[in-house]
Protein backbone atom coordinates (compact mmCIF):
# COMPACT_ATOMS: atom_id res chain seq x y z
CA UNK A 1 0.00 0.00 0.00
CA UNK A 2 2.99 2.33 0.26
CA UNK A 3 2.66 3.21 -3.43
CA UNK A 4 -0.85 4.64 -2.91
CA UNK A 5 -1.28 8.30 -1.95
CA UNK A 6 -1.50 8.65 1.86
CA UNK A 7 -4.93 10.28 1.67
CA UNK A 8 -6.25 7.28 -0.24
CA UNK A 9 -4.67 4.37 1.65
CA UNK A 10 -7.37 3.87 4.25
CA UNK A 11 -10.06 3.49 1.59
CA UNK A 12 -8.09 1.14 -0.63
CA UNK A 13 -6.80 -0.92 2.30
CA UNK A 14 -10.40 -1.86 3.06
CA UNK A 15 -11.20 -2.71 -0.54
CA UNK A 16 -11.46 -6.47 -1.25
CA UNK A 17 -9.55 -7.87 -4.21
CA UNK A 18 -12.77 -9.11 -5.81
CA UNK A 19 -12.55 -10.60 -9.31
CA UNK A 20 -15.85 -9.91 -11.04
CA UNK A 21 -17.87 -12.63 -12.72
CA UNK A 22 -21.54 -13.11 -13.70
CA UNK A 23 -22.92 -13.40 -10.15
CA UNK A 24 -20.98 -10.55 -8.55
CA UNK A 25 -21.72 -8.32 -11.54
CA UNK A 26 -25.47 -8.84 -11.15
CA UNK A 27 -25.19 -7.92 -7.49
CA UNK A 28 -23.18 -4.79 -8.19
CA UNK A 29 -25.63 -3.74 -10.90
CA UNK A 30 -28.44 -4.00 -8.37
CA UNK A 31 -26.51 -1.92 -5.86
CA UNK A 32 -25.81 0.77 -8.48
CA UNK A 33 -29.47 0.87 -9.45
CA UNK A 34 -30.57 1.03 -5.82
CA UNK A 35 -28.34 4.01 -5.11
CA UNK A 36 -28.72 5.89 -8.40
CA UNK A 37 -31.83 7.97 -7.72
CA UNK A 38 -30.82 11.45 -6.53
CA UNK A 39 -32.59 14.79 -6.26
CA UNK A 40 -31.65 17.66 -8.53
CA UNK A 41 -28.45 19.36 -7.44
CA UNK A 42 -28.73 22.90 -6.06
CA UNK A 43 -28.27 25.46 -8.80
CA UNK A 44 -28.54 22.84 -11.54
CA UNK A 45 -31.45 21.33 -13.40
CA UNK A 46 -31.24 17.64 -14.20
CA UNK A 47 -33.55 16.04 -16.73
CA UNK A 48 -33.80 12.83 -18.71
CA UNK A 49 -34.46 12.37 -22.42
CA UNK A 50 -34.99 9.10 -24.28
CA UNK A 51 -32.36 8.34 -26.90
CA UNK A 52 -34.11 8.20 -30.30
CA UNK A 53 -33.65 4.85 -31.99
CA UNK A 54 -32.22 3.20 -28.86
CA UNK A 55 -33.55 1.65 -25.67
CA UNK A 56 -31.45 4.00 -23.53
CA UNK A 57 -31.67 7.55 -22.23
CA UNK A 58 -29.61 10.67 -21.69
CA UNK A 59 -29.37 12.52 -18.38
CA UNK A 60 -28.90 16.23 -19.04
CA UNK A 61 -27.27 18.61 -16.56
CA UNK A 62 -27.35 22.38 -16.97
CA UNK A 63 -27.01 25.43 -14.79
CA UNK A 64 -30.27 27.09 -13.88
CA UNK A 65 -28.91 30.36 -15.32
CA UNK A 66 -27.38 28.74 -18.41
CA UNK A 67 -27.46 30.77 -21.58
CA UNK A 68 -28.44 29.13 -24.86
CA UNK A 69 -26.95 27.91 -27.04
CA UNK A 70 -24.60 26.22 -24.57
CA UNK A 71 -21.54 24.13 -25.44
CA UNK A 72 -21.80 20.42 -24.71
CA UNK A 73 -19.80 17.93 -22.69
CA UNK A 74 -21.01 14.54 -23.94
CA UNK A 75 -20.21 12.23 -21.05
CA UNK A 76 -20.00 8.41 -20.87
CA UNK A 77 -20.13 6.48 -17.60
CA UNK A 78 -17.77 3.68 -16.63
CA UNK A 79 -18.28 0.19 -15.28
CA UNK A 80 -16.02 -2.14 -17.23
CA UNK A 81 -18.63 -2.44 -20.04
CA UNK A 82 -20.65 -4.69 -17.71
CA UNK A 83 -22.23 -2.36 -15.15
CA UNK A 84 -22.71 1.29 -14.30
CA UNK A 85 -25.35 3.86 -15.15
CA UNK A 86 -25.61 7.36 -16.58
CA UNK A 87 -27.75 8.20 -13.54
CA UNK A 88 -24.69 8.18 -11.26
CA UNK A 89 -22.71 10.94 -12.96
CA UNK A 90 -23.65 13.85 -10.69
CA UNK A 91 -19.99 14.35 -9.73
CA UNK A 92 -18.98 15.07 -13.31
CA UNK A 93 -22.19 16.92 -14.17
CA UNK A 94 -21.61 19.25 -11.23
CA UNK A 95 -17.89 19.66 -11.89
CA UNK A 96 -18.37 20.81 -15.48
CA UNK A 97 -21.57 22.85 -15.09
CA UNK A 98 -20.43 24.74 -12.00
CA UNK A 99 -17.19 25.83 -13.65
CA UNK A 100 -18.32 26.25 -17.26
CA UNK A 101 -21.59 27.51 -18.73
CA UNK A 102 -22.19 24.24 -20.53
CA UNK A 103 -24.65 21.38 -20.78
CA UNK A 104 -23.52 17.89 -19.78
CA UNK A 105 -25.23 15.08 -21.67
CA UNK A 106 -24.60 11.81 -19.81
CA UNK A 107 -25.49 9.11 -22.29
CA UNK A 108 -26.62 5.61 -21.39
CA UNK A 109 -25.74 2.45 -23.27
CA UNK A 110 -26.56 -1.25 -23.19
CA UNK A 111 -24.28 -3.41 -21.09
CA UNK A 112 -22.33 -6.58 -21.83
CA UNK A 113 -22.42 -9.55 -21.80
CA UNK A 114 -26.13 -9.38 -22.68
CA UNK A 115 -25.31 -6.79 -25.34
CA UNK A 116 -21.90 -7.17 -26.91
CA UNK A 117 -19.97 -4.86 -29.21
CA UNK A 118 -21.11 -2.82 -31.10
CA UNK A 119 -24.31 -2.34 -29.03
CA UNK A 120 -22.87 0.19 -26.58
CA UNK A 121 -21.13 2.20 -29.28
CA UNK A 122 -24.25 2.21 -31.45
CA UNK A 123 -26.30 3.54 -28.53
CA UNK A 124 -23.78 6.31 -27.94
CA UNK A 125 -23.72 7.19 -31.63
CA UNK A 126 -27.52 7.48 -31.54
CA UNK A 127 -27.30 9.79 -28.52
CA UNK A 128 -24.65 11.85 -30.25
CA UNK A 129 -26.91 12.02 -33.29
CA UNK A 130 -29.59 13.60 -31.12
CA UNK A 131 -27.11 16.23 -29.92
CA UNK A 132 -26.00 17.02 -33.47
CA UNK A 133 -29.43 16.97 -35.13
CA UNK A 134 -31.81 18.14 -32.39
CA UNK A 135 -29.62 19.72 -29.71
CA UNK A 136 -30.12 23.26 -30.98
CA UNK A 137 -33.85 23.12 -30.21
CA UNK A 138 -32.97 22.16 -26.63
CA UNK A 139 -30.51 25.01 -26.01
CA UNK A 140 -27.38 23.10 -27.03
CA UNK A 141 -24.67 24.21 -29.44
CA UNK A 142 -24.06 21.16 -31.69
CA UNK A 143 -20.96 22.79 -33.16
CA UNK A 144 -19.21 23.05 -29.78
CA UNK A 145 -18.94 19.55 -28.35
CA UNK A 146 -16.31 17.57 -26.49
CA UNK A 147 -16.66 13.87 -25.74
CA UNK A 148 -15.47 12.41 -22.45
CA UNK A 149 -15.81 9.44 -20.21
CA UNK A 150 -14.38 7.56 -17.29
CA UNK A 151 -12.83 4.06 -17.22
CA UNK A 152 -14.78 1.93 -19.73
CA UNK A 153 -16.61 5.15 -20.56
CA UNK A 154 -13.25 6.69 -21.42
CA UNK A 155 -12.56 3.81 -23.78
CA UNK A 156 -15.98 4.21 -25.36
CA UNK A 157 -15.35 7.95 -25.66
CA UNK A 158 -12.10 7.30 -27.53
CA UNK A 159 -13.86 4.80 -29.79
CA UNK A 160 -16.76 7.18 -30.48
CA UNK A 161 -14.32 9.97 -31.33
CA UNK A 162 -12.55 7.67 -33.80
CA UNK A 163 -15.84 6.70 -35.43
CA UNK A 164 -17.09 10.28 -35.68
CA UNK A 165 -13.75 11.38 -37.14
CA UNK A 166 -14.10 8.78 -39.88
CA UNK A 167 -17.66 10.00 -40.53
CA UNK A 168 -16.42 13.57 -40.95
CA UNK A 169 -17.93 14.94 -37.71
CA UNK A 170 -15.87 17.64 -35.99
CA UNK A 171 -15.42 17.34 -32.21
CA UNK A 172 -13.55 19.96 -30.15
CA UNK A 173 -11.77 17.52 -27.84
CA UNK A 174 -11.73 14.16 -26.10
CA UNK A 175 -11.50 13.87 -22.32
CA UNK A 176 -10.41 10.41 -21.20
CA UNK A 177 -10.40 9.78 -17.44
CA UNK A 178 -8.48 6.60 -16.52
CA UNK A 179 -9.68 5.12 -19.82
CA UNK A 180 -10.01 1.40 -20.54
CA UNK A 181 -8.39 1.35 -23.98
CA UNK A 182 -6.62 -1.94 -24.64
CA UNK A 183 -7.89 -5.52 -24.26
CA UNK A 184 -4.32 -6.83 -24.40
CA UNK A 185 -3.73 -5.63 -20.82
CA UNK A 186 -6.16 -8.33 -19.67
CA UNK A 187 -3.77 -11.09 -20.79
CA UNK A 188 -0.48 -9.56 -19.67
CA UNK A 189 1.47 -12.31 -17.87
CA UNK A 190 3.22 -9.83 -15.58
CA UNK A 191 -0.02 -8.71 -13.86
CA UNK A 192 -1.82 -11.03 -11.43
CA UNK A 193 -5.58 -11.53 -11.58
CA UNK A 194 -6.12 -9.72 -8.27
CA UNK A 195 -3.78 -6.85 -8.96
CA UNK A 196 -3.78 -3.90 -8.63
CA UNK A 197 -6.18 -2.43 -6.07
CA UNK A 198 -9.54 -1.28 -7.33
CA UNK A 199 -10.24 -2.58 -10.82
CA UNK A 200 -7.99 -5.64 -11.10
CA UNK A 201 -6.90 -7.65 -14.09
CA UNK A 202 -9.24 -10.56 -13.40
CA UNK A 203 -12.20 -8.20 -13.58
CA UNK A 204 -10.59 -6.54 -16.59
CA UNK A 205 -10.47 -9.91 -18.37
CA UNK A 206 -14.16 -10.54 -17.59
CA UNK A 207 -15.11 -7.04 -18.78
CA UNK A 208 -13.30 -7.30 -22.10
CA UNK A 209 -14.40 -10.86 -22.84
CA UNK A 210 -18.01 -9.90 -22.05
CA UNK A 211 -17.83 -6.86 -24.34
CA UNK A 212 -16.00 -8.48 -27.24
CA UNK A 213 -17.71 -11.85 -27.00
CA UNK A 214 -14.38 -13.54 -27.44
CA UNK A 215 -11.03 -14.00 -25.76
CA UNK A 216 -9.30 -10.64 -25.21
CA UNK A 217 -5.79 -10.10 -26.52
CA UNK A 218 -6.29 -11.91 -29.82
CA UNK A 219 -4.47 -11.07 -33.04
CA UNK A 220 -7.21 -8.72 -34.22
CA UNK A 221 -10.26 -6.88 -32.94
CA UNK A 222 -13.27 -5.34 -34.73
CA UNK A 223 -12.91 -1.74 -35.85
CA UNK A 224 -13.72 0.73 -33.02
CA UNK A 225 -13.97 -2.08 -30.43
CA UNK A 226 -10.53 -1.48 -28.93
CA UNK A 227 -9.35 2.14 -29.32
CA UNK A 228 -5.67 1.35 -28.62
CA UNK A 229 -5.57 -1.01 -31.61
CA UNK A 230 -6.31 1.71 -34.15
CA UNK A 231 -3.25 2.30 -36.30
CA UNK A 232 -4.02 5.74 -37.75
CA UNK A 233 -4.48 8.39 -35.06
CA UNK A 234 -3.63 11.52 -37.08
CA UNK A 235 -6.38 14.10 -37.26
CA UNK A 236 -8.15 13.12 -34.05
CA UNK A 237 -9.17 16.03 -31.78
CA UNK A 238 -6.98 17.22 -28.89
CA UNK A 239 -7.01 14.88 -25.92
CA UNK A 240 -6.84 15.07 -22.16
CA UNK A 241 -5.81 11.77 -20.59
CA UNK A 242 -5.78 11.44 -16.82
CA UNK A 243 -4.69 8.35 -14.90
CA UNK A 244 -3.09 7.37 -11.61
CA UNK A 245 0.31 5.74 -11.66
CA UNK A 246 -0.95 2.72 -9.67
CA UNK A 247 -3.96 2.25 -11.94
CA UNK A 248 -4.20 -0.97 -13.99
CA UNK A 249 -4.60 1.20 -17.09
CA UNK A 250 -1.52 3.36 -16.46
CA UNK A 251 0.72 1.71 -19.09
CA UNK A 252 -1.91 1.50 -21.82
CA UNK A 253 -3.02 5.10 -21.21
CA UNK A 254 0.50 6.49 -21.42
CA UNK A 255 1.17 4.49 -24.55
CA UNK A 256 -1.99 5.86 -26.20
CA UNK A 257 -0.99 9.40 -25.20
CA UNK A 258 2.46 8.87 -26.74
CA UNK A 259 0.96 7.51 -29.96
CA UNK A 260 -1.44 10.44 -30.23
CA UNK A 261 1.44 12.88 -29.82
CA UNK A 262 3.49 11.05 -32.44
CA UNK A 263 0.52 11.40 -34.80
CA UNK A 264 0.43 15.17 -34.22
CA UNK A 265 -2.53 15.24 -31.85
CA UNK A 266 -2.17 17.70 -28.93
CA UNK A 267 -2.29 15.81 -25.63
CA UNK A 268 -2.63 17.00 -22.05
CA UNK A 269 -1.50 14.21 -19.74
CA UNK A 270 -2.46 14.31 -16.07
CA UNK A 271 -0.66 11.65 -14.03
CA UNK A 272 -1.82 11.31 -10.44
CA UNK A 273 1.02 10.07 -8.25
CA UNK A 274 -0.30 7.39 -5.93
CA UNK A 275 -3.67 7.28 -7.66
CA UNK A 276 -5.42 3.88 -7.88
CA UNK A 277 -8.38 3.30 -10.17
CA UNK A 278 -11.43 5.35 -9.29
CA UNK A 279 -9.75 7.18 -6.42
CA UNK A 280 -11.25 10.55 -7.38
CA UNK A 281 -14.75 9.14 -6.86
CA UNK A 282 -13.96 7.16 -3.72
CA UNK A 283 -12.06 9.95 -1.94
CA UNK A 284 -13.21 13.15 -3.68
CA UNK A 285 -11.88 15.48 -0.98
CA UNK A 286 -8.29 14.22 -1.28
CA UNK A 287 -5.86 16.74 -2.74
CA UNK A 288 -4.91 14.39 -5.56
CA UNK A 289 -8.61 13.98 -6.46
CA UNK A 290 -9.24 17.73 -6.51
CA UNK A 291 -6.24 18.29 -8.80
CA UNK A 292 -7.45 15.56 -11.16
CA UNK A 293 -10.96 16.99 -11.50
CA UNK A 294 -9.66 20.56 -11.82
CA UNK A 295 -7.31 19.55 -14.64
CA UNK A 296 -10.17 17.87 -16.51
CA UNK A 297 -12.41 20.90 -16.08
CA UNK A 298 -9.65 23.26 -17.28
CA UNK A 299 -9.20 21.18 -20.44
CA UNK A 300 -12.96 21.21 -21.08
CA UNK A 301 -13.15 24.98 -20.58
CA UNK A 302 -10.33 25.69 -23.01
CA UNK A 303 -11.60 23.21 -25.61
CA UNK A 304 -15.15 24.57 -25.57
CA UNK A 305 -13.95 28.17 -25.75
CA UNK A 306 -11.54 27.67 -28.67
Amino acid sequence: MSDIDPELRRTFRRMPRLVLGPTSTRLLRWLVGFSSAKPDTDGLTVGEVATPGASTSMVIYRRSDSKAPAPVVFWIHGGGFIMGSNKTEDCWGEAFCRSIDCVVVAAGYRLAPEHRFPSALDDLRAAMGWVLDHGASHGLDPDTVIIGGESAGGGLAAALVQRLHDEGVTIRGQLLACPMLDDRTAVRPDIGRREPRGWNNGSNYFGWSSYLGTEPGGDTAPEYAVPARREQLAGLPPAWIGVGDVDLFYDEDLEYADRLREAGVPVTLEVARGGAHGYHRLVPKASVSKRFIASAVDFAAVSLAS
Side-chain angles (χ1 to χ4, degrees):
M1 296 292 292
S2 60
D3 54 349
I4 295 180
D5 184 277
E7 291 185 86
L8 310 176
R9 285 176 193 162
R10 183 178 180 183
T11 296
F12 281 91
R13 186 179 290 115
R14 294 175 174 178
M15 188 175 295
R17 294 183 183 270
L18 174 67
V19 175
L20 293 183
T23 301
S24 53
T25 297
R26 285 193 295 269
L27 174 60
L28 286 171
R29 282 182 184 176
W30 179 83
L31 290 172
V32 168
F34 180 77
S35 63
S36 62
K38 297 179 182 179
D40 287 359
T41 308
D42 289 344
L44 303 180
T45 59
V46 185
E48 189 169 3
V49 176
T51 303
S55 59
T56 56
S57 68
M58 297 166 281
V59 176
I60 300 178
Y61 300 81
R62 69 175 78 222
R63 283 183 1 196
S64 302
D65 61 350
S66 179
K67 298 178 182 178
V72 178
V73 177
F74 186 91
W75 188 257
I76 307 172
H77 72 82
F81 304 120
I82 55 176
M83 58 186 181
S85 169
N86 61 332
K87 297 178 177 64
T88 60
E89 299 307 290
D90 285 6
C91 60
W92 287 105
E94 288 186 63
F96 292 123
C97 287
R98 291 200 185 283
S99 300
I100 313 167
D101 187 4
C102 68
V103 172
V104 176
V105 177
Y109 54 88
R110 287 170 290 173
L111 301 173
E114 296 88 348
H115 304 283
R116 293 170 175 164
F117 174 84
S119 297
L121 191 60
D122 287 345
D123 291 344
L124 295 167
R125 181 60 182 89
M128 190 66 201
W130 178 85
V131 171
L132 296 173
D133 298 335
H134 305 288
S137 62
H138 293 266
L140 281 61
D141 180 357
D143 296 322
T144 311
V145 179
I146 65 170
I147 294 176
E150 177 180 352
S151 193
L156 288 166
L160 181 60
V161 165
Q162 293 174 1
R163 178 170 166 179
L164 291 170
H165 169 76
D166 294 347
E167 294 174 2
V169 178
T170 299
I171 299 298
R172 293 289 185 92
Q174 51 184 321
L175 198 159
L176 313 179
C178 49
M180 185 174 175
L181 298 169
D182 196 339
D183 64 315
R184 293 167 293 191
T185 297
V187 294
R188 277 180 53 175
D190 59 319
I191 304 175
R193 281 175 53 80
R194 297 183 181 275
E195 297 175 1
R197 293 276 180 171
W199 182 258
N200 57 47
N201 217 19
S203 299
N204 196 40
Y205 182 93
F206 178 68
W208 275 114
S209 59
S210 298
Y211 180 63
L212 296 174
T214 188
E215 192 90 0
D219 292 337
T220 61
E223 189 176 25
Y224 308 127
V226 184
R229 297 226 190 191
R230 182 180 174 100
E231 293 184 3
Q232 300 297 327
L233 301 179
L236 294 178
W240 180 93
I241 298 178
V243 66
D245 64 356
V246 290
D247 193 311
L248 176 66
F249 302 141
Y250 176 70
D251 289 345
E252 65 185 67
D253 290 356
L254 262 61
E255 182 177 354
Y256 193 65
D258 288 342
R259 291 185 57 227
L260 285 170
R261 286 194 184 108
E262 290 170 0
V265 177
V267 176
T268 301
L269 181 62
E270 178 74 20
V271 174
R273 302 300 175 192
H277 193 71
Y279 71 90
H280 55 286
R281 280 183 178 269
L282 295 170
V283 194
K285 294 184 179 180
S287 298
V288 67
S289 302
K290 292 178 180 178
R291 287 194 299 270
F292 187 83
I293 298 296
S295 177
V297 169
D298 287 346
F299 174 84
V302 171
S303 298
L304 294 174
S306 61

